[in-house]
Amino acid sequence: MKPAYLVQKLRHFYGRKQVLNIDELTIEKHKIVGLVGPNGSGKSTLLRLLAFVEYPSEGKITYFPVLEADGRPLRFQITLLCQEPYLLKRTVFANIAYGLKIRKDTRNLHDRVAEALEWVGLDYFSFAKRKWYELSGGEAQRVALAARLILKPSVLLLDEPTASVDAESAQRIRDAILMAKSEWGATIVISSHDRNWLYESCDQLVHLLRGHIIGSAAENIVFGPWKWLNGTLWYKLLDGNQRLILKGAENENSVALLSPDSLIVRPLSENFNFFDAEKTQREVCYINGIVSALIMERATNNILVSIAVGHITFNARLASNHQMLYPGQKVILEIPTDSARWVS
Ligand code: ADP
């Protein structure tokens, strides 16, 4: 596979504050890459750097352009769609046609605008003549995306494209992204809070925490505060007075990373005895939860199950011989106490 980007020894600062510290990251061409991580972990900053609207304080980002048959780089390569999409104070048609007009590429303009609207699931006759203020948040986001897609960029960088949109728009945006990949081989990098949306859409996931890459999977992040229990055991109090017990925290503000492969999910059976289970809790921690979603993980073709434990959601990757699970079901989550990786 050919890389679209190679990021090496990247450090980025705002003032004295380091916001990114990435030793190496390769983004392959024609892939959909998801950036996942809590607020402030550096996702938007990384997207701005990949768009070359900002330059890294240290290190290097190399972009490998897509070439025409004659070896010249294609003209329109990289586009960034920001979280708050900017629309011109004009009609939907004018917004979408704008980029092509600038490039003096106006052949079949109406057909191409209609096609771009179709990609994002908006009907030409209902939308082309609407003004920028006659759109819902989700529709505005889709118009802004159509205005990028019509230029068929080689790289599409999307910052929180589904942050303030309805479920239909989120679905349409995903369809449009998959289309850009399959129709002209676009490379797409998307940041999102909506982890499940990303798991369903991406070929590769990059998990960021405090500017560092902490993994490439659907890792669970559990923030403190942790309380010392005994020996090397620490616990975090979860809703319903349950305790998540793990070995090896450095201090009460450590952050635990739990791989979705290390969590086992079993339907809660009537004869399960938490009291007996507590006795073995040095090795395994048992937690009561409710299945909140079953997600197909595109990158691995596995099923991820989301388990809600009060306000926290854990993701576990199901083994191929897993038992039947369904949303709303009460389950037991088994977490080996030594399965955490810790970040301080
Ligand atoms: P995310 O997209 O993951 O929420 P950001 O990349 O927006 O994270 O922010 C990473 C960190 O950099 C945050 O602590 C944020 O406050 C800081 N930051 C982002 N942009 C700027 C800026 N222009 N000036 C100063 N600090 C910034």
Side-chain angles (χ1 to χ4, degrees):
M1 271 293 164
K2 289 188 179 149
Y5 287 98
L6 186 57
V7 175
Q8 291 162 298
K9 298 200 180 342
L10 169 70
R11 313 271 180 278
H12 199 60
F13 297 86
Y14 289 118
R16 290 170 64 184
K17 183 177 172 188
Q18 186 179 61
V19 294
L20 280 176
N21 184 349
I22 298 175
D23 272 334
E24 192 174 312
L25 171 66
T26 305
I27 292 173
E28 286 173 10
K29 276 200 167 90
H30 320 308
K31 295 276 180 195
I32 303 180
V33 180
L35 302 181
V36 56
N39 245 335
S41 53
K43 303 183 297 295
S44 305
T45 307
L46 181 57
L47 286 173
R48 286 198 300 275
L49 295 173
L50 293 175
F52 299 105
V53 294
E54 228 175 277
Y55 291 90
S57 315
E58 290 173 22
K60 196 159 86 170
I61 297 182
T62 313
Y63 173 65
F64 300 90
V66 176
L67 304 177
E68 302 258 33
D70 62 8
R72 282 181 309 145
L74 263 178
R75 261 187 70 208
F76 191 77
Q77 297 269 338
I78 304 173
T79 187
L80 169 67
L81 184 62
C82 296
Q83 208 166 334
E84 304 286 332
Y86 174 76
L87 291 182
L88 303 169
K89 294 190 167 39
R90 299 185 195 170
T91 61
V92 165
F93 183 94
N95 266 284
I96 297 177
Y98 182 78
L100 288 179
K101 283 188 174 166
I102 294 272
R103 297 164 79 187
K104 300 194 170 42
D105 175 11
T106 53
R107 81 208 131 79
N108 303 329
L109 191 59
H110 283 81
D111 289 348
R112 288 158 83 191
V113 171
E115 184 183 42
L117 276 169
E118 197 182 311
W119 288 334
V120 295
L122 296 174
D123 176 59
Y124 181 85
F125 293 101
S126 323
F127 281 91
K129 288 191 179 145
R130 285 206 202 172
K131 299 276 189 352
W132 75 100
Y133 55 80
E134 294 172 323
L135 300 168
S136 72
E139 287 160 358
Q141 184 68 275
R142 282 147 76 185
V143 168
L145 179 59
R148 306 304 194 284
L149 292 175
I150 202 169
L151 302 170
K152 301 199 171 169
S154 311
V155 176
L156 193 55
L157 305 168
L158 305 170
D159 196 357
E160 296 280 356
T162 59
S164 53
V165 308
D166 54 288
E168 190 204 341
S169 291
Q171 171 75 51
R172 298 293 194 169
I173 290 169
R174 182 192 3 246
D175 292 348
I177 290 167
L178 293 173
M179 181 281 307
K181 177 186 155 179
S182 63
E183 284 293 305
W184 65 86
T187 304
I188 297 149
V189 188
I190 317 170
S191 79
S192 179
H193 274 91
D194 187 345
R195 300 211 290 171
N196 292 354
W197 187 89
L198 278 186
Y199 298 150
E200 288 173 340
S201 312
C202 296
D203 302 308
Q204 182 192 344
L205 281 166
V206 176
H207 212 136
L208 282 171
L209 180 66
R210 298 173 184 166
H212 294 259
I213 295 180
I214 55 165
S216 56
E219 222 95 2
N220 294 290
I221 303 182
V222 190
F223 292 96
W226 297 92
K227 289 210 165 88
W228 181 72
L229 183 64
N230 57 50
T232 55
L233 294 177
W234 293 69
Y235 71 95
K236 178 185 166 85
L237 212 49
L238 305 176
D239 287 359
N241 260 341
Q242 301 199 75
R243 293 190 301 184
L244 169 61
I245 301 177
L246 294 171
K247 276 184 193 155
E250 253 176 43
N251 59 54
E252 61 180 35
N253 293 319
S254 295
V255 180
L257 306 178
L258 294 167
S259 155
D261 292 314
S262 62
L263 276 49
I264 296 171
V265 185
R266 289 197 283 121
L268 178 63
S269 62
E270 280 174 14
N271 53 17
F272 184 83
N273 187 331
F274 266 94
F275 187 71
D276 285 347
E278 277 267 325
K279 292 183 194 159
T280 60
Q281 214 154 38
R282 278 190 160 273
E283 307 305 327
V284 181
C285 170
Y286 296 90
I287 289 177
N288 250 318
I290 294 176
V291 174
S292 59
L294 291 160
I295 308 143
M296 174 75 186
E297 189 184 27
R298 267 176 56 87
T300 63
N301 274 339
N302 281 309
I303 306 263
L304 280 177
V305 56
S306 297
I307 315 289
V309 181
H311 300 307
I312 296 190
T313 300
F314 292 91
N315 279 313
R317 196 172 281 127
L318 291 184
S320 52
N321 59 350
H322 67 88
Q323 289 172 276
M324 263 297 276
L325 294 173
Y326 53 86
Q329 189 176 18
K330 290 184 178 166
V331 288
I332 302 281
L333 201 51
E334 290 184 21
I335 306 177
T337 51
D338 63 359
S339 58
R341 283 195 295 136
W342 294 95
V343 184
S344 282

